[in-house]
Structures are given as structure tokens and as C-alpha cells.
Amino acid sequence: MFLSVGIRFEANVEALNMVETAGNYTKHRRVPYLIEENGKLKTVYVPAISGESLAHAYQEHLVNEALSAGLPVCDDCRRGEFYKSMNKIHLEKKVSPIPDDPKEIEEAIVKACVVEDVGGFLYAEKPPVRRSSAFQVSYALPVKSVALFATSEPQLHARHAQIDASSKKGNVSEQMIYYVETGTALYGFIFNLDLDAVGISAITSKPILDDNEIKKRREVSLKALFRMLSSSQFGAKLSRFFPVGGITELIVTVTEHPFVVTSPIYDDYIERTKRRLNILKNFGEEIFITIAKEDRVAEEALKEAIDYLNEKGVF
Ligand SMILES: [Zn+2]
């Protein structure tokens, strides 16, 4: 089973993805964007949130959900440091001595850590072992039709430091001025999850774990997504720039084989997704679709998808 979710969310005055600090100026991530205006294409630079940033947040939620379900998570991942068994030092914490056979290395890592099972890893030693991530996430980008209204604006802030009486300036407080570039946009992004890849070897395509463990891991993978979206706990600088807004629309599809919803950066993404799915139906594939829009909240659609997967015996 393959899950694909398209999310639209409004975020006003957010600093979710900062890229560099030049002096006292912290810049928001920006990407070039092709926009059609009066029949001509032009490039504009718009605020964006990287897939890496969203993936990091998802994996942090995955750690919490896995631990509360009593599933294994390695020490590095528990701390939110996703080294993913990249070298001997990190792999030795899971299996020692390190086996020579790539299949045994993969097996040891998958058994020891839900995050590396679902999120993949790259062991870059001899022999190298690579496991693709079972989940995929796009950048969050402004919805095309309103992208020209997306902004990144610096906000002025001041920090105060007390200068003691012995200093030259006397007992006055000194200011340190700094700027944080904040983004405001209606964003869209896609999250996919290949439930068939969880607990299955990327080398042999055979199960590494027993059926019961695989089902539990699939369930926590979905709960982590639910929690991440429902809590808006993703991205940086939430302590003072928690985005004002929230999820405005969401679409979820479940198919037997990979299918990705039309990107929510397009206004007709729901209609297009439905039309594309209807063709798949003609091929005899069982499909599921649910939408949260207007009166329906995102959690209702996500819960419906989870109930459907439960009914289908996915977990
Ligand atoms: Zn791990």
C-alpha cells in the first residue's frame, strides 16, 4: 500500500527554514520559481521550506511514536541526531563485530532502529550498504496562483545587555540589534509513504522482521505524520516565530502501488488527482481518497485514512 498526502498550509511571519547568518542578518531559504504572467514566463524568488527540514521533523516524531509503542530506536536517533549508521563508529553501536555481508548489516540496522528502517540510511564503508527511505517529502513552496504575494521580510529585533558600573559607558543597558527574515505564504507540499517497504530488505525484498512487528512499525509511521501535521511541530525558530495560520486543505490517497497526488501548489490539484485516480480504477486497482477542505479539518481526513488502512489489515 502506498500513501500520498498533499498539504496546503498558510503561514504568516514564519522563520521555519533559515539558511545563513550574515552579520546580524538571518536569511530565510528562498528558491527560484517560474511564474506565468501575461503569457510570459518569469522567475521570482519565493520563501521555501526544504524537504530536509520537513523530513527531520517527521523523523523526530517517528522517534517519539516508536518509543511510546515500545519499538526500538538507536541512541543516535533518540537524540535527534540522524547519522543513520553512516560509518563504523556509528554502526558498531548496533552490531559488533560488524559483519562482512551487506544483507547482515542491513538486517542489524533495521532490527535496531525504526527510524533507519523507515527513513533509510547510507553506510559509507566497505562494503557500502544503502537503504532508500520509505517516506518521501517535497519542499514546501508557495501556491503558484498567489506566489507573487509571498514575501520574505526582515523583522527588526533587539537584545539588551546590562553593562556594569565599572564599564566606560556606565550603568546603562546596551542594545544589540538583529534582523530575522520572515516568510509569509500559502505553502503546499507532498508527503509519500511506501508502507510495503517497512521492515522489508532493500537487498533481497524479503521481510527482515515478523509480521506483527512490521504492522506496528507501519502504524507508528502514520501516527508520526498525523502528529507532525496536527501539532505544526516542524521547522525552526518555533519559540518566537511560530507560524500564524495552519492547514487549510489536505488530500490523502491510498493505492495498492505507488501513486502521487497532484502537487497542491496548483489550484486544481484535487480535481486532477481525482481524474488521475479514476483511470487507475479502470485498471482494477483498489483506491482510497479523502479530502479535508472548508468544513472538514485535516485530522478528520487523516483519521479516515488510518481507519481505512486498519480495515485493510495494513496494521
Ligand atoms: Zn537510528
Side-chain angles (χ1 to χ4, degrees):
M1 290 274 190
F2 194 93
L3 179 103
S4 183
V5 189
I7 301 114
R8 268 188 173 196
F9 70 100
E10 186 184 328
N12 297 294
V13 198
E14 52 79 13
L16 291 168
N17 195 182
M18 312 311 281
V19 281
E20 62 174 329
T21 302
N24 60 351
Y25 192 97
T26 317
K27 275 182 83 174
H28 197 286
R29 182 180 294 282
R30 258 183 275 189
V31 294
Y33 220 39
L34 270 184
I35 299 283
E36 200 185 318
E37 210 181 30
N38 303 327
K40 280 185 184 168
L41 287 175
K42 69 175 197 178
T43 306
V44 291
Y45 282 81
V46 291
I49 300 148
S50 74
E52 196 63 62
S53 159
L54 295 169
H56 185 92
Y58 172 71
Q59 292 178 119
E60 282 189 335
H61 289 279
L62 189 54
V63 170
N64 294 337
E65 294 299 331
L67 290 177
S68 48
L71 295 172
V73 179
C74 77
D75 287 345
D76 288 337
C77 291
R78 265 174 208 241
R79 286 195 303 271
E81 290 168 356
F82 301 120
Y83 298 121
K84 307 282 195 76
S85 312
M86 63 185 187
N87 57 25
K88 282 181 183 161
I89 297 166
H90 292 284
L91 181 55
E92 260 166 4
K93 296 179 194 171
K94 296 183 182 74
V95 56
S96 187
I98 294 171
D100 296 324
D101 184 352
K103 289 194 287 282
E104 285 174 39
I105 293 175
E106 187 197 27
E107 188 180 321
I109 297 173
V110 167
K111 280 186 174 163
C113 186
V114 171
V115 175
E116 285 160 86
D117 177 7
V118 177
F121 59 80
L122 175 62
Y123 175 63
E125 299 264 7
K126 278 184 190 164
V129 186
R130 176 179 176 273
R131 179 174 174 82
S132 292
S133 174
F135 81 91
Q136 305 168 330
V137 62
S138 72
Y139 265 49
L141 299 172
V143 167
K144 280 236 154 169
S145 60
V146 290
L148 285 176
F149 302 106
T151 63
S152 344
E153 270 295 304
Q155 300 298 325
L156 170 71
H157 292 267
R159 271 190 205 109
H160 297 271
Q162 193 78 35
I163 307 290
D164 68 50
S166 61
S167 75
K168 280 183 184 169
K169 289 179 182 172
N171 191 13
V172 291
S173 57
E174 191 168 85
Q175 286 187 344
M176 206 282 269
I177 285 169
Y178 65 102
Y179 297 87
V180 178
E181 203 171 68
T182 57
T184 285
L186 178 60
Y187 289 105
F189 74 96
I190 289 176
F191 182 98
N192 300 323
L193 178 61
D194 183 2
L195 290 155
D196 294 335
V198 177
I200 305 293
S201 167
I203 301 168
T204 66
S205 302
K206 295 212 171 80
I208 291 172
L209 308 163
D210 69 51
D211 206 37
N212 190 37
E213 171 93 4
I214 288 176
K215 285 183 174 183
K216 279 194 205 162
R217 290 187 180 200
R218 288 174 179 159
E219 190 175 5
V220 298
S221 310
L222 281 161
K223 280 187 175 167
L225 174 65
F226 190 113
R227 186 67 65 179
M228 171 176 140
L229 296 176
S230 190
S231 65
S232 300
Q233 294 299 308
F234 56 83
K237 285 194 176 284
L238 296 180
S239 61
R240 295 298 182 269
F241 293 90
F242 189 81
V244 185
I247 296 176
T248 56
E249 288 177 20
L250 178 137
I251 182 169
V252 189
T253 64
V254 180
T255 46
E256 286 171 40
H257 303 293
F259 171 87
V260 176
V261 298
T262 301
S263 171
I265 66 168
Y266 302 110
D267 286 338
D268 59 353
Y269 74 104
I270 290 175
E271 280 316 305
R272 282 197 165 266
T273 303
K274 281 183 183 166
R275 279 172 63 188
R276 292 171 53 223
L277 273 180
N278 274 337
I279 306 293
L280 279 195
K281 239 188 223 168
N282 291 333
F283 292 171
E285 186 166 342
E286 201 170 332
I287 57 163
F288 169 87
I289 179 168
T290 181
I291 295 154
K293 207 182 164 182
E294 288 149 13
D295 291 345
R296 203 148 182 260
V297 295
E299 285 83 351
E300 287 164 338
L302 288 165
K303 171 75 167 53
E304 201 191 326
I306 288 176
D307 288 347
Y308 171 81
L309 288 163
N310 208 352
E311 249 170 55
K312 289 281 157 201
V314 172
F315 48 78

